[in-house]
Coordinates of all heavy atoms in Angstrom, one line a residue:
E620 N -0.4 29.1 -3.8 CA -1.0 30.2 -3.1 C 0.1 31.3 -2.8 O -0.1 32.4 -2.5 CB -1.6 29.8 -1.7 CG -2.9 29.0 -1.9 CD -4.0 29.7 -2.5 OE1 -4.3 30.9 -2.1 OE2 -4.7 29.2 -3.4
M621 N 1.4 30.8 -3.0 CA 2.5 31.8 -2.9 C 2.6 32.8 -4.1 O 3.4 33.7 -4.1 CB 3.8 31.0 -2.8 CG 3.9 30.2 -1.5 SD 5.5 29.3 -1.5 CE 6.7 30.6 -1.1
G622 N 1.7 32.6 -5.1 CA 1.7 33.5 -6.2 C 2.9 33.4 -7.1 O 3.5 32.4 -7.3
D623 N 3.4 34.6 -7.5 CA 4.6 34.7 -8.3 C 5.8 34.2 -7.6 O 6.7 33.6 -8.3 CB 4.8 36.2 -8.8 CG 3.7 36.7 -9.8 OD1 3.1 35.8 -10.4 OD2 3.6 37.9 -9.9
D624 N 5.9 34.3 -6.3 CA 7.0 33.7 -5.6 C 7.1 32.2 -5.7 O 8.2 31.7 -5.9 CB 6.9 34.1 -4.1 CG 7.2 35.6 -3.9 OD1 7.7 36.3 -4.7 OD2 6.8 36.1 -2.8
G625 N 5.9 31.6 -5.7 CA 5.9 30.1 -5.9 C 6.3 29.7 -7.3 O 7.1 28.8 -7.4
L626 N 5.9 30.4 -8.3 CA 6.3 30.1 -9.6 C 7.8 30.4 -9.9 O 8.4 29.7 -10.6 CB 5.4 31.0 -10.6 CG 3.9 30.6 -10.7 CD1 3.2 31.6 -11.5 CD2 3.8 29.1 -11.2
A627 N 8.3 31.4 -9.2 CA 9.7 31.7 -9.3 C 10.5 30.6 -8.7 O 11.6 30.2 -9.2 CB 10.0 33.1 -8.6
L628 N 10.0 30.0 -7.6 CA 10.7 28.9 -6.9 C 10.7 27.7 -7.9 O 11.7 27.0 -8.0 CB 10.1 28.6 -5.6 CG 10.3 29.6 -4.5 CD1 9.4 29.3 -3.3 CD2 11.8 29.7 -4.1
L629 N 9.6 27.5 -8.5 CA 9.5 26.4 -9.5 C 10.6 26.6 -10.6 O 11.3 25.7 -10.9 CB 8.1 26.4 -10.1 CG 7.9 25.5 -11.4 CD1 8.3 24.0 -11.1 CD2 6.5 25.6 -11.9
D630 N 10.7 27.8 -11.1 CA 11.7 28.1 -12.1 C 13.1 27.9 -11.6 O 14.0 27.3 -12.3 CB 11.6 29.6 -12.6 CG 10.3 29.9 -13.4 OD1 9.7 29.0 -13.9 OD2 10.0 31.1 -13.4
Q631 N 13.3 28.3 -10.4 CA 14.6 28.2 -9.7 C 15.1 26.7 -9.7 O 16.2 26.3 -10.0 CB 14.6 28.8 -8.4 CG 15.9 28.8 -7.6 CD 15.8 29.4 -6.3 OE1 14.8 29.9 -5.8 NE2 17.0 29.5 -5.6
V632 N 14.1 25.8 -9.2 CA 14.4 24.4 -9.1 C 14.7 23.8 -10.5 O 15.7 23.1 -10.7 CB 13.3 23.6 -8.5 CG1 13.5 22.1 -8.5 CG2 13.1 24.1 -7.0
K633 N 13.9 24.1 -11.5 CA 14.1 23.5 -12.8 C 15.4 24.1 -13.5 O 16.0 23.3 -14.2 CB 12.8 23.8 -13.7 CG 11.6 23.0 -13.2 CD 12.0 21.5 -13.3 CE 10.8 20.6 -12.9 NZ 11.1 19.2 -13.0
Q634 N 15.7 25.3 -13.2 CA 17.0 25.8 -13.7 C 18.2 25.1 -13.0 O 19.2 24.9 -13.7 CB 17.1 27.3 -13.6 CG 16.1 28.0 -14.5 CD 16.0 29.5 -14.2 OE1 16.7 30.1 -13.4 NE2 15.1 30.2 -14.9
H635 N 18.1 24.9 -11.8 CA 19.2 24.2 -11.0 C 19.4 22.8 -11.5 O 20.5 22.3 -11.7 CB 18.9 24.3 -9.5 CG 19.9 23.6 -8.7 ND1 21.1 24.2 -8.4 CD2 20.0 22.3 -8.2 CE1 21.9 23.3 -7.7 NE2 21.2 22.2 -7.5
D636 N 18.3 22.0 -11.6 CA 18.3 20.6 -11.9 C 16.9 20.2 -12.5 O 16.0 19.9 -11.7 CB 18.7 19.8 -10.7 CG 18.9 18.3 -11.1 OD1 18.4 17.9 -12.2 OD2 19.4 17.5 -10.3
P637 N 16.8 20.1 -13.8 CA 15.5 19.8 -14.3 C 15.0 18.4 -14.0 O 13.8 18.1 -14.2 CB 15.6 20.0 -15.8 CG 17.1 20.1 -16.1 CD 17.8 20.4 -14.8
T638 N 15.8 17.6 -13.4 CA 15.4 16.2 -13.1 C 14.7 16.1 -11.7 O 14.2 15.1 -11.4 CB 16.6 15.2 -13.2 OG1 17.5 15.5 -12.2 CG2 17.2 15.2 -14.6
I639 N 14.9 17.1 -10.9 CA 14.2 17.1 -9.6 C 12.7 17.2 -9.8 O 12.2 18.2 -10.4 CB 14.7 18.3 -8.7 CG1 16.2 18.1 -8.4 CG2 13.9 18.3 -7.4 CD1 16.8 19.3 -7.6
P640 N 11.9 16.2 -9.3 CA 10.5 16.3 -9.5 C 9.9 17.4 -8.7 O 10.3 17.6 -7.5 CB 10.0 14.9 -9.1 CG 11.1 14.3 -8.3 CD 12.4 15.0 -8.7
V641 N 9.0 18.2 -9.3 CA 8.3 19.3 -8.6 C 6.8 19.0 -8.6 O 6.2 18.8 -9.7 CB 8.6 20.6 -9.2 CG1 7.9 21.8 -8.5 CG2 10.1 20.9 -9.2
V642 N 6.2 19.1 -7.4 CA 4.8 19.0 -7.3 C 4.3 20.4 -6.9 O 4.8 21.0 -6.0 CB 4.3 18.0 -6.2 CG1 2.8 18.0 -5.9 CG2 4.8 16.6 -6.5
T643 N 3.3 20.9 -7.7 CA 2.7 22.1 -7.3 C 1.2 21.9 -7.0 O 0.6 20.9 -7.5 CB 2.7 23.2 -8.5 OG1 2.1 22.6 -9.6 CG2 4.2 23.6 -8.8
F644 N 0.7 22.6 -6.1 CA -0.7 22.4 -5.7 C -1.4 23.8 -5.4 O -0.7 24.7 -5.0 CB -0.9 21.5 -4.5 CG -0.2 22.0 -3.2 CD1 -0.9 22.6 -2.2 CD2 1.2 21.7 -3.1 CE1 -0.2 23.0 -1.1 CE2 1.8 22.1 -1.9 CZ 1.1 22.8 -0.9
G645 N -2.7 23.9 -5.7 CA -3.4 25.1 -5.4 C -4.9 24.9 -5.5 O -5.4 23.8 -5.8
S646 N -5.6 25.9 -5.3 CA -7.1 25.9 -5.4 C -7.5 25.4 -6.8 O -7.0 25.9 -7.8 CB -7.7 27.2 -5.0 OG -9.0 27.2 -5.3
H647 N -8.5 24.6 -6.8 CA -9.0 24.1 -8.1 C -9.6 25.2 -8.9 O -9.7 25.1 -10.1 CB -10.1 23.0 -7.9 CG -11.4 23.5 -7.3 ND1 -11.5 23.7 -5.9 CD2 -12.6 23.8 -7.9 CE1 -12.7 24.2 -5.7 NE2 -13.4 24.2 -6.9
V648 N -9.9 26.4 -8.3 CA -10.5 27.5 -9.1 C -9.4 28.4 -9.6 O -9.6 29.4 -10.3 CB -11.6 28.3 -8.3 CG1 -12.7 27.4 -8.0 CG2 -11.0 28.9 -7.0
A649 N -8.1 28.2 -9.1 CA -7.0 29.1 -9.5 C -6.4 28.5 -10.8 O -5.3 28.1 -10.9 CB -6.0 29.1 -8.4
T650 N -7.2 28.5 -11.8 CA -6.9 27.9 -13.1 C -5.6 28.5 -13.7 O -4.8 27.8 -14.3 CB -8.0 27.8 -14.1 OG1 -8.5 29.2 -14.3 CG2 -9.2 27.0 -13.6
E651 N -5.5 29.8 -13.6 CA -4.3 30.5 -14.2 C -3.0 30.1 -13.6 O -2.0 29.8 -14.2 CB -4.5 32.0 -14.1 CG -5.5 32.6 -15.1 CD -5.7 34.1 -15.0 OE1 -4.7 34.7 -14.6 OE2 -6.7 34.6 -15.4
A652 N -3.0 30.0 -12.2 CA -1.8 29.5 -11.5 C -1.5 28.1 -11.8 O -0.3 27.8 -12.0 CB -2.0 29.7 -10.0
L653 N -2.5 27.2 -11.9 CA -2.3 25.8 -12.2 C -1.7 25.7 -13.6 O -0.8 24.9 -13.8 CB -3.6 25.0 -12.0 CG -4.2 25.0 -10.6 CD1 -5.6 24.4 -10.7 CD2 -3.3 24.2 -9.7
Q654 N -2.3 26.4 -14.6 CA -1.8 26.4 -15.9 C -0.4 26.9 -16.0 O 0.5 26.4 -16.7 CB -2.7 27.2 -16.9 CG -2.3 27.1 -18.3 CD -2.3 25.7 -18.9 OE1 -3.0 24.8 -18.5 NE2 -1.4 25.5 -19.8
A655 N -0.1 28.0 -15.3 CA 1.3 28.6 -15.3 C 2.3 27.6 -14.8 O 3.4 27.5 -15.3 CB 1.3 29.9 -14.5
A656 N 1.9 26.8 -13.8 CA 2.8 25.8 -13.2 C 3.1 24.7 -14.3 O 4.2 24.3 -14.4 CB 2.2 25.2 -11.9
R657 N 2.1 24.3 -15.0 CA 2.2 23.3 -16.0 C 3.2 23.8 -17.1 O 4.1 23.1 -17.5 CB 0.9 23.0 -16.7 CG 0.1 22.0 -16.0 CD -1.2 21.6 -16.9 NE -2.1 21.0 -16.0 CZ -3.1 21.7 -15.3 NH1 -3.2 23.0 -15.5 NH2 -3.9 21.0 -14.5
Q658 N 3.0 25.1 -17.5 CA 3.8 25.7 -18.6 C 5.3 25.8 -18.1 O 6.2 25.8 -19.0 CB 3.2 27.0 -19.0 CG 1.9 26.9 -19.7 CD 1.2 28.2 -20.0 OE1 1.5 29.2 -19.3 NE2 0.3 28.2 -20.9
R659 N 5.5 26.0 -16.9 CA 6.9 26.2 -16.4 C 7.6 24.9 -16.0 O 8.7 24.9 -15.5 CB 6.8 27.1 -15.2 CG 6.5 28.5 -15.6 CD 6.4 29.4 -14.3 NE 6.0 30.8 -14.7 CZ 6.5 31.8 -14.2 NH1 7.4 31.8 -13.2 NH2 6.1 33.0 -14.5
G660 N 6.9 23.8 -16.2 CA 7.6 22.5 -16.1 C 7.3 21.7 -14.8 O 8.0 20.8 -14.5
A661 N 6.3 22.1 -14.1 CA 5.9 21.3 -12.9 C 5.6 19.8 -13.3 O 4.9 19.6 -14.3 CB 4.8 21.9 -12.1
D662 N 6.1 18.9 -12.6 CA 5.9 17.5 -12.9 C 4.5 17.0 -12.6 O 3.9 16.2 -13.2 CB 7.0 16.6 -12.2 CG 8.4 17.0 -12.7 OD1 8.7 16.5 -13.8 OD2 9.0 17.7 -12.0
F663 N 4.0 17.6 -11.5 CA 2.6 17.3 -11.0 C 2.0 18.6 -10.7 O 2.5 19.4 -9.9 CB 2.6 16.4 -9.8 CG 3.3 15.1 -10.1 CD1 4.6 14.9 -9.7 CD2 2.6 14.0 -10.6 CE1 5.2 13.7 -10.0 CE2 3.2 12.8 -10.8 CZ 4.5 12.6 -10.5
V664 N 0.7 18.8 -11.2 CA 0.0 20.0 -10.9 C -1.4 19.5 -10.3 O -2.2 18.9 -11.0 CB -0.3 20.9 -12.1 CG1 -1.1 22.1 -11.8 CG2 1.1 21.3 -12.7
L665 N -1.6 19.7 -9.0 CA -2.7 19.2 -8.3 C -3.6 20.2 -7.6 O -3.1 21.2 -7.2 CB -2.2 18.2 -7.3 CG -1.3 17.1 -7.7 CD1 -0.7 16.3 -6.5 CD2 -2.0 16.1 -8.7
S666 N -4.9 19.9 -7.5 CA -5.7 20.7 -6.6 C -5.3 20.4 -5.2 O -4.7 19.4 -4.9 CB -7.2 20.4 -6.9 OG -7.4 19.0 -6.4
R667 N -5.7 21.3 -4.3 CA -5.3 21.1 -2.9 C -5.9 19.8 -2.3 O -5.2 19.1 -1.6 CB -5.8 22.3 -2.0 CG -5.0 23.6 -2.3 CD -5.6 24.8 -1.6 NE -5.1 25.0 -0.3 CZ -3.8 25.5 0.0 NH1 -3.0 25.7 -1.0 NH2 -3.4 25.7 1.2
S668 N -7.1 19.5 -2.7 CA -7.7 18.2 -2.2 C -6.9 17.0 -2.8 O -6.7 16.0 -2.0 CB -9.2 18.2 -2.5 OG -9.4 18.2 -3.9
M669 N -6.6 17.0 -4.0 CA -5.8 15.9 -4.6 C -4.5 15.8 -4.0 O -4.0 14.7 -3.7 CB -5.7 16.1 -6.1 CG -7.0 15.8 -6.9 SD -6.8 16.1 -8.7 CE -5.6 14.9 -9.1
F670 N -3.9 17.0 -3.7 CA -2.6 17.0 -3.1 C -2.7 16.3 -1.7 O -1.9 15.5 -1.3 CB -2.0 18.4 -3.0 CG -0.7 18.5 -2.2 CD1 0.5 18.1 -2.8 CD2 -0.7 19.0 -0.9 CE1 1.7 18.2 -2.1 CE2 0.5 19.1 -0.2 CZ 1.7 18.7 -0.8
S671 N -3.7 16.8 -0.9 CA -3.8 16.2 0.5 C -4.0 14.7 0.4 O -3.4 14.0 1.2 CB -5.0 16.9 1.1 OG -4.8 18.2 1.4
N672 N -4.8 14.2 -0.5 CA -5.1 12.8 -0.6 C -3.9 12.0 -1.0 O -3.7 10.9 -0.6 CB -6.3 12.5 -1.5 CG -7.6 13.0 -1.0 OD1 -7.8 13.2 0.2 ND2 -8.5 13.3 -1.9
S673 N -3.0 12.6 -1.8 CA -1.9 12.0 -2.4 C -0.6 12.2 -1.6 O 0.5 11.6 -1.9 CB -1.6 12.5 -3.8 OG -2.7 12.3 -4.6
L674 N -0.6 13.0 -0.6 CA 0.6 13.5 0.1 C 1.4 12.3 0.6 O 2.6 12.3 0.3 CB 0.2 14.4 1.3 CG 1.4 15.0 2.1 CD1 2.4 15.7 1.2 CD2 0.9 15.9 3.2
P675 N 0.9 11.3 1.3 CA 1.8 10.2 1.8 C 2.5 9.5 0.6 O 3.7 9.3 0.7 CB 0.8 9.3 2.5 CG -0.3 10.1 2.9 CD -0.5 11.1 1.8
S676 N 1.8 9.2 -0.4 CA 2.5 8.5 -1.6 C 3.5 9.4 -2.3 O 4.5 8.9 -2.7 CB 1.4 7.9 -2.5 OG 0.6 8.9 -3.1
L677 N 3.1 10.7 -2.4 CA 4.1 11.6 -3.0 C 5.4 11.7 -2.2 O 6.5 11.7 -2.7 CB 3.5 13.0 -3.2 CG 2.4 13.2 -4.3 CD1 1.6 14.5 -4.1 CD2 3.0 13.1 -5.6
L678 N 5.2 11.8 -0.9 CA 6.4 11.9 0.0 C 7.2 10.7 -0.1 O 8.5 10.7 -0.2 CB 6.0 12.2 1.4 CG 5.6 13.7 1.7 CD1 4.9 13.8 3.0 CD2 6.8 14.6 1.6

Side-chain angles (χ1 to χ4, degrees):
E620 293 294 315
M621 294 180 73
D623 290 340
D624 291 341
L626 293 172
L628 291 170
L629 168 59
D630 293 340
Q631 182 179 2
V632 172
K633 289 302 183 179
Q634 288 170 7
H635 177 80
D636 182 347
T638 66
I639 295 174
V641 177
V642 174
T643 58
F644 60 97
S646 170
H647 69 282
V648 297
T650 56
E651 288 181 24
L653 296 169
Q654 182 59 32
R657 275 187 200 90
Q658 292 172 340
R659 290 176 182 221
D662 298 282
F663 300 94
V664 180
L665 306 171
S666 67
R667 288 173 92 71
S668 62
M669 288 178 63
F670 175 77
S671 291
N672 292 337
S673 304
L674 182 58
S676 62
L677 288 167
L678 282 167

